[in-house]
Structure formats: C-alpha cells, structure tokens
Amino acid sequence: MAPAVAARVARASTPDAIETDLGALWRDLARQGPVARAVMSNLVVFREDEGGDGDASPFEDQRAGLVDEVAARHPSRVIVVAHDSRSQELCAPTTAGVAIVTFGSPTARYGVEEIAVRCACAEAALPSIVRRFVRGDLPTSIWWTEDMSRVPPVASIVAMGRQLVYDSHPWSDVAAGVRAVAPFITPDGERRRIDLADLNWRRLTALRQAVLFASQDARDPWQSANVRIAHRPDEAALAWLLIGWLTARLEWSAQAPPHVQRTNGDDVLSVTIRENAAEIVATLDDRRAMVARGNDAPAVFGVPRQGEADAVAMELRTLSHDVCLHDALSALVRAFGAA
Amino acid sequence: MVQNHIVQLLALIAMEPPRSLDADVIRDEKLEVLLSLRPIAAETVDTHVVRGQYTAGFDIGRPVPGYRQEPGVAPTSRTETFVALKVFVDNWRWAGVPFFLRTGKRLPKRASEISVQLKEVPAILFNADPAGRLDPNVLSIRIQPDEGFALGISSKIPGPRLRIYPVRMDFHYGSTFGASSPEAYERLLLDVMAGDATLFMRRDGVEAAWRWVGPILERWQTQTADPIPTYAGGEWGPAEANRLIESTGRQWRQP
C-alpha cells in the first residue's frame, strides 16, 4: 500500500533559483527533524499548457494530485514541464515552482522533490530546461501525459530519457497516435534507444493470457480473416493494440487486419475466432478476461485492480523492454504507415 | 580553472591520509600528488586534453549567445571556455587509474562534483548477461550546490525474476541538519581571519601545478590554425570530450 502524503510544502520560484529554493525548503523541513531525500529516478512530466493565467503556479493542474501519488509509489525527482506550444518564440520559462512532498511518520520521514516550469517557447529550447534539472546517475523517464495523437512527443525531450511512459487510451485518432510513437520504436537489430511503456497495454494483459490459453489447443494458426474484434466506443486504441499483438505473433499481413467494430455492449473488448466448426470467444471487462471454446467451460483470468498511479509507478519501477509491446506497435506502424 | 581549482580537487581526492590536520602536513600530501602527475608532453596533449568554446545555445530555455558574440570578446577569439583532461597519477596507489577532469562555462548547470567509479565486477553471476551489464558502483561527492554524497549501486527488484535497478544511497546535508553550508569564499575569508592556510595553495604547490599545465598551454599556442572544438551553450561540452572518455569504455557522469 502506498504511503499517504504527510505534507506538501511548495513555493513559487524562478528558473534560476529553483535549486536554491529547493535547498531552502529542505532546510526548513529538516528543522522539524531529519528527513531523508528519496530519489530513484528522474520523472519528466510533460503536459500541454494552453495559456490562461500566466501567473498561476505551474503546479496548479488537475493532475497534480496524481503526480504526488506516483511519487508516493516510486520516489522520483519530478520535473513538470507545462509547455504552451502555440508560441514558437525563443524565450525563457514564464513561471516556476518547487515543492517537497513528504511521507512517513514524523520520526522516519522521507521526501521527494518536485519542480514545475511553465514555458511558452520553441521546442528547440525545451531540452535545456530538462537538462538543467535532471539528476545524474539516475534513470530518466519521460511521462507524456497528453493525447499523443493530438500532441506528438517532442523527440529531443524523449531522447533524454531511458523510458517513455504514455497512455494510448485517450487517443482520439489511433492511426495518428501510432505514427506519433513510431519514431521511438527501435528497429530490430539496432541498439535500443528507449523503452516504451503504454499504460493502456497493461490493461490488455488478462485478455492476452486468455487468448494464449485458447491458442494452446488450436490445430492450425488462426487467420486474420477468421477473427472479429469488437470494442466499446472509447476503447479503439486497446482494440488496435490487440490487433497489433495478434499480427506480430501470428505473422499476419499488416495490410489485412481482422475485422474490428465498435459496439455499445458491456465488454471492453471481445474477440471472436472462427476455428473450423467451432468458435472461440474471449471477452474483457473491468474485472476479468474470459475465454471459451464452443460449449466448453470458460477459463477466467482476473484483471488486477490498479489505479493510474499504480500503473505508472509499476512502469517506472520495471524499466525493462517490453518485446511484445514493441512488436505490436511495429505491426501497427506497418498497418498505418509511419509519419 | 584547471591549474587552481580542478588540480586542487584532484589532489584532495588522490592524497594519502595526512598524519595530522596541520595545514602544512595536508599541503605536503597534496604536493605529493601534484609531483606525481604524469606530465602531458606536447605530443600527447591532443590525445589527453580537449578544449572547447561555446556557441549560441539555450540556458533554461533562454537563447544565449556564443562566446564570440559576448560583449567585449573578439569575434576571432580562441580562448577556451571548456577543458577536459585524462590524467594519471603515477604512484603506487593510483598507477593505471585514469582521472577524468572537466570544467567549462555555459554548461547545463553549475555544479562541482567528484565521482569515484569503483572497479567493475567480473562478468559472472549477476553480471553474466552480456546484453545487460551492470553499471559500476559510483561514490559521488557533491561539493556544491546541494552538498552531500551518494553511493550508486545496482539492486535486485524484489520478486522471483532477476531484474536489476540502479539505486542511490544518498546523504544530503541540508535535509539532515537543516542548516546551510557556508559559501566557498565565506569559508576562505574565515580561514584568512583565523590564520588557517589549509585550503590555500602553498608556493611549491602553485609552481608544481603550473609546471604540469605549462606544456598544455604551450602546445595550444602553436595550434593557431586548428579549429577549436565547439559546443552549444547549455550542453555538456564538445563531442571530442565525449570521445576522450568513451575511448576507454567509460562515459561522463552528469551531476
């Protein structure tokens, strides 16, 4: 169970004074008793800033609480970059803030640092902001919180990290989202540049287990023409991730994907596979994945209850290369074409 | 910068433990290091030293001019704003151990750090996978800002599978004691008033440092036609500095 936030101290700062102000916050906290600084990684959180009150703290964001929850589960130096991409002028960040979030009992406190910078500047200037504030010797993860299909990741920012965390669930355009992530998929045989972590991909785990289970008794490899996929209206990206996975594993032609349709049913996803005279049906809802062949008893695979903060923290903690995701995305890139 | 600050840090980290805290005893030990520095002869300067000059770039998002565009700087200036060196201390303790030093202007952050990279473990047990070699353990001493030190090691992630994650054991003065350390010159001025010369270079140390640095400067003075490596403001130095250390299978640590 993640520790609860014990206290959060924050203050407005300026880009030049961030480290000094953080040091002052630490000293203020330590006067109440020692507090250990916990840091396992750098976490660069990128969000689009659509203007509004230019003087507002860059921490004031509806997702600020989520960032604290992630830090509670995986202590990181958090660097929030709120970028107004409408301006292409070369200019400095407009506002900045620092915070320290503490956890634990009064006699065993630990804290994590958070830095937030709001800027309206050309993308070329962004890496210099990140470079100033990341801590050396720690893995750096880039958390792209925007809909990648609408706001593609800035390549120069992503290149500074070891891991790119994103969520394909909110993609308004699956093809555009795939094209946005395509540049970061390392071709086979080349030295891996960055690990991709899609929070939406995690939700597919139980259904993939169910489909694998059903495939054990298949006499012949399934053909894409015999597969139909249905998804809830807001689960198009998940459906295409499943298609990418099946395409990669079964070596289907990326240009001939299975039939996919939108439905208004209760299931998040359903897969129907026609196998000779029988039909295999696998479904996924919020609690379980279930698969049955014909009239056989179904096999059930549980879906872990996991909030967004848990999912992000798990990815940060793992830092490994998900070959299946990589292959699925590669298949989707072939299907939709690269940018 | 190199002759005074950087060489002083090198001497502090490489010196033998003094027999007392008397200023001259400590300075004697530091002098031993300076006298043990392997000379960088003219013909080896190019393979052991890299200099650079910053060009236009960014500083926390702000566009900044290149060195030659700074007020008061000649447009054809060949003054280096960055230096990286590969140095050896030829004594029994440090024989064969390279010391990599670098300093510069317009780097991404102001920091002063010493990192001691421990020997890599053999390629067996947890380090047996050629595709996933363990990073070496590193002891980092942060001089300023953010005074403290940290030990970076690799740890197994709890669970049945063998997965390794780099972790840090971190000591931070500010969050532990709640007090700020004096600024560098505050400490020196206090020592001046107290008559404590420990942190000040003695004449023989200054001369030893200049004797060692001299051939490098002389070599550069003969290279008036060669282009100086450049780096964009806000980056960690020229590519040539990366090659200097990467040729040994290592890489620069970022503070």
Side-chain angles (χ1 to χ4, degrees), chain A residues 42-46 77 79 81 130 134 140-143 157:
Chain A
N42 295 298
L43 177 59
V44 180
V45 182
F46 186 94
R77 180 176 242 221
I79 301 156
V81 178
V130 174
V134 292
T140 296
S141 295
I142 311 296
W143 181 10
I157 295 287

Side-chain angles (χ1 to χ4, degrees), chain B residues 34-204:
Chain B
L34 299 181
L35 295 176
S36 301
L37 288 175
R38 182 182 304 173
I40 298 182
E43 58 272 17
T44 59
V45 167
D46 294 343
T47 56
H48 284 65
V49 187
V50 170
R51 57 175 170 161
Q53 190 182 82
Y54 67 83
T55 58
F58 295 97
D59 175 35
I60 332 177
R62 288 179 294 241
V64 290
Y67 180 69
R68 293 179 179 178
Q69 288 78 49
E70 300 276 14
V73 176
T76 56
S77 171
R78 293 178 59 81
T79 301
E80 65 279 354
T81 61
F82 174 93
V83 175
L85 308 95
K86 181 170 66 175
V87 175
F88 290 91
V89 178
D90 288 335
N91 60 16
W92 283 94
R93 184 184 290 282
W94 297 111
V97 177
F99 287 75
F100 291 94
L101 320 174
R102 66 174 175 173
T103 181
K105 299 183 191 303
R106 278 274 186 256
L107 301 183
K109 56 177 82 171
R110 292 178 64 88
S112 185
E113 268 196 19
I114 298 173
S115 296
V116 180
Q117 179 173 304
L118 305 185
K119 276 176 67 173
E120 294 187 32
V121 299
I124 57 174
L125 300 177
F126 299 112
N127 203 26
D129 179 9
R133 287 276 181 255
L134 295 178
D135 293 331
N137 297 336
V138 177
L139 173 65
S140 307
I141 303 167
R142 294 185 304 273
I143 298 167
Q144 63 173 2
D146 206 28
E147 295 85 358
F149 50 88
L151 179 64
I153 61 175
S154 296
S155 173
K156 179 184 176 300
I157 299 173
R161 290 165 53 197
L162 179 60
R163 295 179 302 169
I164 303 296
Y165 192 97
V167 297
R168 265 161 83 106
M169 299 167 66
D170 186 46
F171 167 73
H172 179 224
Y173 274 97
S175 63
T176 301
F177 299 116
S180 55
S181 301
E183 296 289 331
Y185 285 102
E186 283 182 64
R187 173 66 191 272
L188 292 178
L189 288 170
L190 186 66
D191 286 352
V192 166
M193 288 185 278
D196 184 348
T198 306
L199 298 180
F200 292 85
M201 290 182 76
R202 204 167 57 194
R203 175 176 175 160
D204 51 4

